[in-house]
Amino acid sequence: MKTRNICVVYQSKYGATQRYAQYLAGALGADMLSCRDASASTLAPYDTLLYGGGIYAGGIAGLKRFKKTLRALASPRLVLFACGASLPQAETVAAIRRQNCADLPGDTPIFYLRGAICPQKMRSADKLMMRMLMRMLQKKPPEQLEPWARDALTLGMDTDADWVDPQNIAPIVAWVKAP
């Protein structure tokens, strides 16, 4: 296997993405930077970049900013990972790809990692959006709800849940280490 110069870049609002970034950096012997510290000059030495962010309204947090930085780099190998409360399913990844990756090479891998939800730590705007989502979901018949929506209703707005698990990074590590 060729030794790669790897950096894990992340944007984390409540900590789940940062924890996954730490696991990935450790498993890959990679450097790690928060998105706000990542610039073309700090990322130029790396031939492989992993970018991760939480999912908010279907978008990967910080990805638009990161893409601007990518344009100034000499085509590094790129891997995306997104963290959210939904169950990791093919449909989830497909929806994230549609919304976030139109301007990236079609072979850019994207991985979805189940993160955490901590309503007590949420900012007011996030709580408001969550409440609106919950009301919308409650109006639908249960049989019309997707699995993530049933999970959300089961948890409600008062329950913390943490699904962050270092074992979840195994497919990403395998992909990065592949020749």
Side-chain angles (χ1 to χ4, degrees), residues 11 26-27 29 40 46 48 60-61 63 67 126 138 151 177:
Q11 181 161 321
Y46 299 100
T48 302
I60 300 173
L63 184 58
K67 286 178 186 177
D126 294 336
Q138 288 169 341
D151 275 359
K177 288 184 174 183

Side-chain angles (χ1 to χ4, degrees), residues 48-67:
T48 302
L49 297 174
L50 285 76
Y51 181 83
I55 294 291
Y56 297 95
I60 300 173
L63 184 58
K64 284 183 183 178
R65 178 180 179 206
F66 183 70
K67 286 178 186 177

Side-chain angles (χ1 to χ4, degrees), residues 35-56:
C35 188
R36 71 178 169 275
D37 296 328
S39 65
S41 61
T42 60
L43 296 177
Y46 299 100
D47 59 23
T48 302
L49 297 174
L50 285 76
Y51 181 83
I55 294 291
Y56 297 95

Side-chain angles (χ1 to χ4, degrees), residues 26-39:
L28 295 167
D31 292 332
M32 186 175 96
L33 288 171
S34 72
C35 188
R36 71 178 169 275
D37 296 328
S39 65

Side-chain angles (χ1 to χ4, degrees), residues 2 5 17 30 34 37 39-40 42 56 65-66 79 87 94 121 132-133 139 148 154 158 160-161 165 171:
K2 176 186 170 196
N5 197 10
T17 305
S34 72
D37 296 328
S39 65
T42 60
Y56 297 95
R65 178 180 179 206
F66 183 70
V79 178
L87 292 167
K121 292 181 183 177
M132 288 170 44
L133 173 65
K139 292 178 183 177
W148 70 266
T154 301
D158 299 319
D160 288 355
D165 184 342

Side-chain angles (χ1 to χ4, degrees), residues 4 28 48-50 77-79 107-111 169-179:
R4 297 188 191 283
L28 295 167
T48 302
L49 297 174
L50 285 76
R77 188 172 180 230
L78 177 64
V79 178
D107 61 347
T108 302
I110 184 165
F111 297 88
I169 68 166
I172 302 172
V173 171
W175 193 94
V176 171
K177 288 184 174 183

Side-chain angles (χ1 to χ4, degrees), residues 30-156:
D31 292 332
M32 186 175 96
L33 288 171
S34 72
C35 188
R36 71 178 169 275
D37 296 328
S39 65
S41 61
T42 60
L43 296 177
Y46 299 100
D47 59 23
T48 302
L49 297 174
L50 285 76
Y51 181 83
I55 294 291
Y56 297 95
I60 300 173
L63 184 58
K64 284 183 183 178
R65 178 180 179 206
F66 183 70
K67 286 178 186 177
K68 290 177 186 174
T69 303
L70 272 179
R71 289 184 199 116
L73 299 174
S75 302
R77 188 172 180 230
L78 177 64
V79 178
L80 297 177
F81 65 97
C83 298
S86 301
L87 292 167
Q89 299 175 335
E91 310 89 69
T92 304
V93 175
I96 293 168
R97 178 176 294 285
R98 277 191 306 276
Q99 186 162 337
N100 296 275
C101 301
D103 53 349
L104 293 173
D107 61 347
T108 302
I110 184 165
F111 297 88
Y112 179 81
L113 304 169
R114 200 162 191 204
I117 188 164
C118 305
Q120 303 311 313
K121 292 181 183 177
M122 283 184 182
R123 296 178 184 148
S124 297
D126 294 336
K127 282 183 182 181
L128 178 64
M129 288 179 63
M130 258 314 257
R131 282 191 183 95
M132 288 170 44
L133 173 65
M134 298 298 262
R135 283 188 202 118
M136 185 179 75
L137 295 176
Q138 288 169 341
K139 292 178 183 177
K140 289 187 173 187
E143 63 276 2
Q144 291 181 6
L145 294 173
E146 293 186 36
W148 70 266
R150 286 191 294 274
D151 275 359
L153 287 173
T154 301
L155 288 172

